[in-house]
Amino acid sequence: MRRFSQSPTDPGFVQDPYPFYHRMRAGGDLGYWDEYGMVCAVSNRAVQALLRDRRFGREIPAEQARPIPEHLAPFYAIEAHSMLELEAPRHTRLRGLVLRAFTSRRIAALGPEIAALAHGLIDAFPDGPVDLLPAFCQPIPVIVIARLLGVPDTMAPQLLAWSNAMVAMYQARRSRAIEDAAAQAAADFATFLSDYIAERRRSPRDDLLSQLIAAEEQGDRLSTEELIATCVLLLNAGHEATVHTMGNGIKTLLETGHPITPESAAPVCEEILRHDPPLHLFTRYTYETAELFGHSFARGDRVALLLGAANRDPAVYAEPDRFDPGREARPHHGFGGGPHFCVGAPLARLELQTALPILFTRLPGLRLSEPPRYADLYHFHGLERLLAEG
């Protein structure tokens, strides 16, 4: 297996990680990334196999668990009940209960609301250049999740602040200051949600939080801690992924001049998710000895799945660096895969397919005011700002 060295915070890599992925993939299905100290799956077939292989998972093997630092206790108190970090049987139970409340019917009914929200945000654009990230891309997923949970729109900025602080824990630039901010945000978020959950237990409403409280399977329900973790996950994952996807997509559409209409929205948005996805690296632990792609994994080994690399594998996608919504439809890894396939994927797709055509229909002369730059967020991949006018 070939070894590769690349700082994930290097400015050149932050702006364009894809050449590095191509170099790694040229060495085989797996490569060793020195800075992470991990084997990485870089081909589409390797990522696909590892996402679905039950010998690998998110939950750390019990014998490898280490004491949680005191200053991070509030953050990991939530993570301990998050289905993103768990495997069967706990993951299966949580996911089943969440899907009973987070139904396709409930999501589909949000279409008109998302459209009205998009129009309202565009109406509020100032004259001249506008940063589309805070003016359009950020409010949509945060307000939609807030409304789903039955939280007032006025709470959206606070929810966004908590979310930004918490998801920074997964970035390569993580520091003690980021850890302290994440722990404080987790504690504040948990307190807020505890009060909201208690209120909904007393007076249920027609919102997702009330449905999550009522969700039941063979007499089993979500505990308060699980409800808190689920609401945090829905906000954090939904916000982070959709904001970056929307921003990356608008950037690509403006740079390529490719149109998007309500009729073409589905294939265009799928190509956005393939071409420049919001999450590039996702890790797994090995649970038992496994021989894959010429490498022997031992229990406890960590492996990185490079979703961004898999999505540009020339063995699957012709001219993978080219943005082409008309290409032959093939599955991508923008939403992960396997048991942890993103539970919010239908909502993210609806937001993208609804909001982006509205933006480009309302502002047909929209153009970039400056070259967009990606932010230092790896293993996320999104812009620091998106200034446009027209």
Side-chain angles (χ1 to χ4, degrees), residues 22-316:
H22 288 320
R23 289 198 303 275
M24 286 190 80
R25 198 187 311 101
D29 296 285
L30 305 175
Y32 191 87
W33 193 341
D34 286 338
E35 280 74 7
Y36 278 99
M38 272 191 282
V39 173
C40 297
V42 290
S43 69
N44 190 281
R45 69 171 189 162
V47 168
Q48 177 94 339
L50 284 161
L51 282 170
R52 286 160 173 74
D53 195 323
R54 301 308 290 267
R55 294 173 296 178
F56 300 84
R58 288 287 295 169
E59 199 166 352
I60 187 170
E63 72 274 11
Q64 288 195 344
R66 296 290 180 266
I68 293 169
E70 185 177 350
H71 73 287
L72 288 175
F75 179 84
Y76 286 106
I78 292 177
E79 293 289 279
H81 300 283
S82 173
M83 60 181 172
L84 183 66
E85 307 299 335
L86 300 172
E87 293 298 323
R90 290 186 68 197
H91 174 267
T92 307
R93 170 184 165 271
L94 285 173
R95 189 178 178 95
L97 287 167
V98 169
L99 287 175
R100 284 178 176 268
F102 205 47
T103 63
S104 56
R105 181 178 174 183
R106 176 177 287 277
I107 293 167
L110 293 168
E113 200 165 341
I114 294 168
L117 179 57
H119 281 294
L121 291 168
I122 294 168
D123 289 341
F125 284 179
D127 293 331
V130 57
D131 185 349
L132 292 172
L133 294 185
F136 191 76
C137 302
Q138 290 174 355
I140 291 174
V142 175
I143 290 174
V144 168
I145 289 291
R147 290 178 181 176
L148 267 174
L149 297 176
V151 175
D153 289 4
T154 54
M155 278 297 297
Q158 181 60 76
L159 296 177
L160 180 62
W162 285 334
S163 176
N164 285 337
M166 292 184 71
V167 298
M169 285 285 284
Y170 300 103
Q171 296 169 8
R173 65 185 182 93
R174 175 173 161 176
S175 64
R176 176 57 189 260
I178 284 174
E179 292 180 348
D180 289 340
Q184 186 61 58
D188 294 343
F189 207 164
T191 299
F192 168 76
L193 285 171
S194 295
D195 293 341
Y196 244 83
I197 290 166
E199 180 185 324
R200 288 297 186 273
R201 287 194 196 278
R202 291 190 300 268
S203 303
R205 299 183 186 177
D206 184 23
D207 56 37
L208 180 62
L209 182 53
S210 297
Q211 292 297 315
L212 287 169
I213 290 170
E216 183 176 341
E217 186 171 2
Q218 297 179 343
D220 190 17
R221 294 191 174 188
L222 295 167
S223 68
T224 298
E225 291 78 16
E226 290 166 345
L227 284 164
I228 290 170
T230 298
C231 291
V232 169
L233 175 60
L234 289 174
L235 174 69
N236 290 359
H239 152 256
E240 193 74 14
T242 308
V243 171
H244 294 329
T245 304
M246 200 172 287
N248 296 355
I250 293 170
K251 165 189 175 291
T252 299
L253 292 172
L254 291 175
E255 287 178 338
T256 61
H258 200 286
I260 181 170
T261 65
E263 294 73 29
S264 69
V268 171
C269 290
E270 292 306 304
E271 178 68 351
I272 287 169
L273 285 157
R274 180 205 70 83
H275 181 261
D276 208 16
L279 176 65
H280 278 213
L281 182 154
F282 209 43
T283 56
R284 291 287 192 273
Y285 289 97
T286 307
Y287 294 144
E288 60 183 84
T289 301
E291 296 278 346
L292 284 171
F293 303 103
H295 180 75
S296 180
F297 292 92
R299 178 174 170 84
D301 286 351
R302 291 184 76 197
V303 56
L305 314 185
L306 296 187
L307 309 179
N311 278 2
R312 293 211 186 182
D313 188 339
V316 178

